[in-house]
Amino acid sequence: MLLNHIKIAGRHLLRNKTYSVISIFGLALGLTAVFLITLYVHHELSYDTYHENASRIYRILHRHPGQAQAVASTPPILAPTIKQSIPDIEKVIRIDKSSNQNLYIRKGEQLILMNNLFYTEPEFFEIFTFPFIAGDPRTALASPNSIVISQKQADLWFPDENPIGKTLNVKMGPGNQDFQITAVLKDIPQKSFIRPEFILPISHILPDESDPYYDSWSSNNVNTFILTTETATKDRVAEKLQATVHPHLPENYQREYFIQAFNKMHLYSTHVKWGNFVTTGNIVYVYLFSGIAVLILLLACFNYINLSTAQAVARAKEIGVRKVLGANRKTCIKQMLMESYLVTVSAFVLSILFLETALPLMKDLLGWEIEFTFVENWFLLFIMVAILILSGFLSGVYSAFYLASLNPVLVLKDNKMIRSNSFFKRASITFQFIIFIALVTSSLVFYKQLTFARNKNLGYDKHHVLAVNIPNNRYNETCRVFRSELMQFPGIEQVSFTSTMPPAFGNWMSAKANAMEGLYDEFYMQNINADEHFQSALQFRVIQGNYFLPEISKHNGNDIVINESARQKFGLQDPIGQIVTIRDKQWRIIGVIEDLHLRSIYEQILPLYISMQPKYFQIAIRISPTDIPETMTTIQKTWKKVFQDEPIEYRFIDEEFDRIYRADARLGALFAGFTLLTIVLAAMGLFGLTLFSVKKRTKEIGIRKVLGGSISRIILMLSREFAVWVLIANILAWPLAYWGLNKWLQNFAYRIDLDWVTFALAGLAALIIALLTTSWLTVKAAKANPVEALRYE
């Protein structure tokens, strides 16, 4: 019986090739999109699941009281303090990624950068479960001169050799040091928050007891992770953490300390603005794309339903004959469902081919590092088969029950007795266009916001500016010689020394504004140390007073320049010459500059002050836009001449800003792709419904033409109802799109306004697509010879 159902279903699909191709192709496109999103969601939810103690690992964060943004970098003194004071903490370690300077392995005359270098403590391997190829996890970091490397690095440096016991000569600061390889890690999965290729003992970067920063609670430069006991609770540990830390914090440096679950770090760290080891995900996007997958699946299924019901007139007599010959309702339903599953299975096979093609494209265009094989991803295969079964049922159930319910006597007597559920068809098309309009609106808003972000005035000129790391973070006479040498070349417009270059945070300092006599409001400021050339290097505008003049002797060590936000916070109308308190020190304001976006427009501009303290770690070089390659060659040659074997590390700050917005650009590209898919699917569904409507009204059209109806009036009559559905879809889609987009825009401190033009364009696009889709069928029906339609009347 089953074989008979399959044979009949196959014959029907072959007889109706146009319907079959549209149904299979449309469903395949929908399934491909759903499978891609399923892979993405599974990838995002699978981070760090291989660690045995993942449920008991937490990261310590802190933030300014009352603020949402948090920082993952903590003071080194935190770890020993809480380890002694909180019994619920079983182990605690400190981790730092690359510290404040890059290290290089010396290979002959070459210096090769140590990518993904981590510093940590021996207990690291007791908290985290990293698979070892060689070495003992318990003693891997026991010696100060030990180093752990990844399998990738072992194959690179010691191919066909056992690397255990071998040494790597590492350039550390001005000198070199040999490290002995004590262990080799199996390459860490891409779905990991911590992905080290080199691991060194953290003792190399921690201050010793004689260092004033040893017990400083305001020096934040390491991540602190804890492993709680099996009986500990998150709330209890967090409460004890704050109670333990609070007495140690300076009075002018208050913080709220709390903990974040390790298995939540990847998707719930958008509020963490400093200290993440890798680019994190966003749980909002997981929910968003999961919802889109459901909508696309429903949309693809509605397509098949509409195309199936469009054939109801042709299939009705077949069902009638089957019932007359003894087929019951159950048999007819099975037959219709078999056809649905045959279409769905064909679409599934085609979608797998589409998926194999799409994944490399997604990797190249969107940076997705998602691999898929049926052997390794059996769980995903199970989900995909479940989607296949569900989509086959959803696609066929309505058509099966609708056709099986027809009265054979009435059907065989006259096709016009076929009753159609016009509400369902109209609702399905309206639903499709609601999705279409919402996605088109979202794509337009994403594009406008991204364009706004990239083109917004940052308060300075980010183009043609290099940020170069000062070797070993040591500003000295050699750096000044480098500047003097560079300034002799015409391609170099300015060279300046600074502690921080955009896009980055400066140091955080507490300040006091005089609220009223004897009372002060405390707030936090960012600090940048920069020389007198910084203003001309970045080309920001001074709006009151002066920036630091080249004659340094005119300025004492207490002079500062503040931004407009700081002026407002201090409540000073005429700030020039005023004395303010920052970090319990008195400073004199000599100038006010316009607000600068030191980070992205996600974040509010904070109060800022610039001082001339000679604590410089970077060099800002503004170059001429003409002949950039020659200028870069000049910079590198001059660097080699002055700093000799020190490697140069630089970046263009405009490219750094582009990287910040890259995730949003990818999101916009995804929405554009899903919007295009929605257009295709909605057009297919509308085509099927138009075909059904035209077939149903063939004789009506013939009578109207015989009675003198013009082609244009008939086209208008057939197209009008589709235009009404699109209008209803607009009315329903606009509020939903407005609510969702408004929530998304809240992520940006500076954003575009949602205007009616964007929504109107999306609605107009939907109407044009609807009319273009239906026009061919309506024009063909309107031009048909009425004699053909009325021949059998």
Side-chain angles (χ1 to χ4, degrees):
M1 192 66 177
L2 178 62
L3 186 62
N4 185 55
H5 283 319
I6 295 174
K7 193 180 298 182
I8 294 171
R11 287 172 183 169
H12 172 72
L13 293 177
L14 290 174
R15 269 200 315 267
N16 300 274
K17 293 183 178 63
T18 303
Y19 279 106
S20 301
V21 170
I22 293 175
S23 298
I24 294 172
F25 186 74
L27 198 54
L29 284 177
L31 287 174
T32 303
V34 172
F35 291 159
L36 279 172
I37 294 174
T38 301
L39 289 174
Y40 163 74
V41 171
H42 182 265
H43 177 270
E44 292 296 284
L45 295 177
S46 300
Y47 264 71
D48 295 307
T49 54
Y50 58 88
H51 294 286
E52 294 178 5
N53 299 319
S55 61
R56 295 195 288 133
I57 302 173
Y58 295 88
R59 173 173 67 165
I60 296 180
L61 306 174
H62 63 94
R63 61 191 168 206
H64 299 297
Q67 290 192 1
Q69 293 184 0
V71 177
S73 298
T74 58
I77 192 64
L78 173 67
T81 301
I82 62 175
K83 188 174 184 179
Q84 297 171 2
S85 306
I86 304 178
D88 284 328
I89 296 178
E90 184 176 313
K91 295 184 184 298
V92 57
I93 59 167
R94 293 162 289 190
I95 304 176
D96 183 42
K97 184 181 180 183
S98 299
S99 190
N100 291 323
Q101 66 181 40
N102 292 326
L103 299 188
Y104 295 82
I105 298 175
R106 189 176 293 278
K107 187 177 183 180
E109 296 299 317
Q110 278 187 300
L111 290 174
I112 301 174
L113 178 66
M114 299 175 72
N115 288 311
N116 295 316
L117 166 64
F118 283 76
Y119 297 89
T120 189
E121 296 170 286
E123 293 83 2
F124 175 80
F125 299 111
E126 298 177 32
I127 294 180
F128 299 104
T129 310
F130 289 109
F132 274 64
I133 293 177
D136 186 349
R138 294 168 298 180
T139 59
L141 294 175
S143 168
N145 294 325
S146 58
I147 184 172
V148 177
I149 64 175
S150 68
Q151 181 181 0
K152 172 185 172 183
Q153 295 298 331
D155 293 340
L156 177 66
W157 290 96
F158 305 101
D160 304 321
E161 291 184 69
N162 180 7
I164 301 299
K166 298 288 197 306
T167 60
L168 293 174
N169 185 251
V170 178
K171 183 181 184 305
M172 302 186 73
N176 300 295
Q177 185 169 342
D178 287 332
F179 287 90
Q180 187 178 58
I181 299 173
T182 54
V184 178
L185 297 177
K186 186 177 180 180
D187 286 337
I188 310 301
Q190 194 267 339
K191 296 182 289 186
S192 301
F193 189 84
I194 302 173
R195 297 198 292 269
E197 293 186 35
F198 299 94
I199 303 177
L200 290 175
I202 201 168
S203 57
H204 289 282
I205 62 168
L206 291 180
D208 56 37
E209 294 187 12
S210 63
D211 194 307
Y213 289 103
Y214 173 77
D215 57 357
S216 170
W217 284 88
S218 60
S219 177
N220 300 303
N221 49 27
V222 296
N223 275 227
T224 303
F225 287 82
I226 60 173
L227 177 69
T228 62
T229 60
E230 293 184 358
T231 59
T233 64
K234 179 182 177 182
D235 292 340
R236 190 170 70 203
V237 172
E239 183 180 345
K240 290 182 178 180
L241 172 67
Q242 181 64 18
T244 301
V245 171
H246 182 72
H248 296 280
L249 298 177
E251 185 178 338
N252 63 349
Y253 190 79
Q254 291 304 303
R255 293 289 189 276
E256 293 177 356
Y257 277 77
F258 59 103
I259 58 177
Q260 180 187 33
F262 180 66
N263 51 21
K264 298 281 188 181
M265 284 167 48
H266 176 64
L267 291 175
Y268 295 87
S269 294
T270 55
H271 66 298
V272 180
K273 301 301 180 184
W274 193 265
N276 284 325
F277 297 145
V278 294
T279 302
T280 57
N282 191 332
I283 191 62
V284 173
Y285 293 160
V286 172
Y287 289 137
L288 176 65
F289 286 116
S290 298
I292 289 175
V294 173
L295 293 176
I296 288 177
L297 182 62
L298 290 175
L299 194 145
C301 292
F302 283 154
N303 259 1
Y304 180 76
I305 293 170
N306 287 330
L307 289 169
S308 298
T309 53
Q311 299 180 80
V313 175
R315 301 297 303 275
K317 287 189 176 181
E318 175 194 335
I319 298 298
V321 171
R322 284 176 177 274
K323 285 192 171 184
V324 168
L325 294 176
N328 56 29
R329 187 168 182 264
K330 186 177 180 181
T331 303
C332 294
I333 290 174
K334 285 182 178 179
Q335 180 61 51
M336 295 299 105
L337 285 175
M338 181 55 63
E339 291 180 12
S340 172
Y341 275 110
L342 192 58
V343 168
T344 308
V345 169
S346 301
F348 178 82
V349 173
L350 188 59
S351 71
I352 296 300
L353 298 177
F354 288 166
L355 188 64
E356 292 294 331
T357 305
L359 278 176
L361 293 175
M362 300 294 275
K363 183 176 181 179
D364 293 339
L365 297 176
L366 304 176
W368 280 14
E369 295 292 336
I370 298 176
E371 303 293 338
F372 175 72
T373 59
F374 287 113
V375 176
E376 297 179 2
N377 301 79
W378 60 268
F379 179 71
L380 280 175
L381 179 61
F382 172 78
I383 293 176
M384 293 167 75
V385 172
I387 292 172
L388 166 67
I389 296 171
L390 177 63
S391 57
F393 178 78
L394 291 175
S395 299
V397 66
Y398 173 77
S399 301
F401 279 88
Y402 169 61
L403 288 172
S405 66
L406 296 176
N407 188 322
V409 176
L410 297 177
V411 167
L412 294 174
K413 182 180 179 182
D414 197 341
N415 276 343
K416 71 181 181 181
M417 299 302 294
I418 298 175
R419 175 176 51 86
S420 65
N421 190 345
S422 59
F423 172 77
F424 178 81
K425 298 182 189 68
R426 292 172 181 174
S428 66
I429 290 297
T430 303
F431 175 74
Q432 288 179 329
F433 273 95
I434 288 173
I435 300 172
F436 166 65
I437 293 164
L439 287 179
V440 169
T441 307
S442 300
S443 295
L444 292 173
V445 171
F446 288 158
Y447 175 76
K448 290 174 69 175
Q449 175 64 23
L450 191 60
T451 303
F452 171 78
R454 285 178 167 168
N455 298 329
K456 188 180 186 303
N457 179 18
L458 301 178
Y460 53 90
D461 184 2
K462 65 179 180 179
H463 300 289
H464 309 115
V465 178
L466 280 78
V468 183
N469 293 340
I470 292 178
N472 308 313
N473 292 329
R474 295 179 181 178
Y475 171 73
N476 50 31
E477 182 60 32
T478 307
C479 297
R480 293 187 285 272
V481 171
F482 176 68
R483 180 184 186 277
S484 298
E485 293 277 346
L486 275 187
M487 290 301 294
Q488 298 176 21
F489 298 99
I492 306 297
E493 295 185 357
Q494 188 55 271
V495 179
S496 171
F497 299 105
T498 176
S499 60
T500 303
M501 280 290 286
F505 287 113
N507 294 321
W508 292 84
M509 302 293 182
S510 61
K512 293 180 179 179
N514 193 356
M516 58 179 63
E517 191 64 33
L519 296 176
Y520 294 90
D521 283 339
E522 188 171 4
F523 62 96
Y524 291 94
M525 300 184 69
Q526 287 183 279
N527 165 239
I528 294 178
N529 295 313
D531 66 10
E532 68 275 20
H533 308 293
F534 191 59
Q535 188 265 335
S536 57
L538 263 63
Q539 296 185 356
F540 50 80
R541 193 166 62 92
V542 179
I543 53 180
Q544 282 184 265
N546 296 294
Y547 188 72
F548 302 113
L549 299 175
E551 299 83 4
I552 299 177
S553 58
K554 290 186 178 181
H555 302 287
N556 60 53
N558 295 331
D559 286 348
I560 59 171
V561 174
I562 63 174
N563 68 348
E564 176 61 17
S565 292
R567 184 196 66 76
Q568 294 174 8
K569 272 289 188 181
F570 282 119
L572 301 172
Q573 294 298 321
D574 185 13
I576 306 305
Q578 296 287 335
I579 305 298
V580 294
T581 302
I582 304 174
R583 199 76 178 274
D584 292 335
K585 183 178 179 179
Q586 302 294 309
W587 302 84
R588 182 170 69 100
I589 300 172
I590 64 168
V592 179
I593 63 173
E594 63 182 331
D595 284 334
L596 310 179
H597 286 277
L598 294 180
R599 291 284 289 179
S600 71
I601 64 170
Y602 285 108
E603 297 148 26
Q604 191 77 29
I605 293 177
L606 298 173
L608 167 74
Y609 77 96
I610 303 175
S611 59
M612 281 189 67
Q613 307 295 312
K615 298 176 181 178
Y616 306 138
F617 309 115
Q618 292 188 312
I619 308 171
I621 305 176
R622 174 168 291 280
I623 64 176
S624 171
T626 58
D627 205 357
I628 293 177
E630 183 180 346
T631 303
M632 293 304 302
T633 301
T634 298
I635 292 173
Q636 291 171 342
K637 287 182 178 179
T638 306
W639 181 277
K640 185 71 175 175
K641 174 184 175 183
V642 175
F643 293 105
Q644 298 178 1
D645 65 341
E646 293 286 353
I648 184 170
E649 302 165 7
Y650 67 88
R651 56 190 172 87
F652 284 92
I653 64 172
D654 56 348
E655 293 177 358
E656 292 293 303
F657 275 102
D658 286 341
R659 288 192 185 96
I660 291 176
Y661 302 121
R662 191 171 294 166
D664 291 300
R666 290 170 177 171
L667 180 65
L670 275 179
F671 261 85
F674 290 136
T675 301
L676 182 61
L677 176 63
T678 306
I679 292 173
V680 174
L681 294 177
M684 285 181 173
L686 189 58
F687 179 86
L689 194 56
T690 306
L691 190 59
F692 174 84
S693 178
V694 168
K695 279 188 176 183
K696 182 183 172 185
R697 304 177 71 174
T698 300
K699 291 177 182 176
E700 176 193 344
I701 294 169
I703 293 171
R704 286 180 178 274
K705 291 193 72 175
V706 169
L707 294 177
S710 65
I711 292 177
S712 59
R713 290 183 66 85
I714 293 173
I715 293 173
L716 180 62
M717 175 194 71
L718 293 172
S719 302
R720 184 168 50 201
E721 63 174 317
F722 301 117
V724 171
W725 300 344
V726 173
L727 178 61
I728 294 172
N730 275 288
I731 294 171
L732 295 174
W734 285 345
L736 294 173
Y738 180 86
W739 176 83
L741 290 168
N742 191 55
K743 293 284 286 184
W744 177 71
L745 287 172
Q746 297 303 315
N747 292 316
F748 296 87
Y750 304 91
R751 50 189 175 267
I752 61 171
D753 294 322
L754 291 174
D755 54 15
W756 66 269
V757 175
T758 304
F759 293 87
L761 285 174
L764 182 62
L767 182 60
I768 292 172
I769 293 294
L771 292 177
L772 287 176
T773 303
T774 60
S775 60
W776 180 75
L777 290 172
T778 54
V779 170
K780 182 181 177 182
K783 288 184 175 182
N785 189 344
V787 174
E788 296 293 328
L790 302 174
R791 174 178 295 175
Y792 301 106
E793 290 298 315

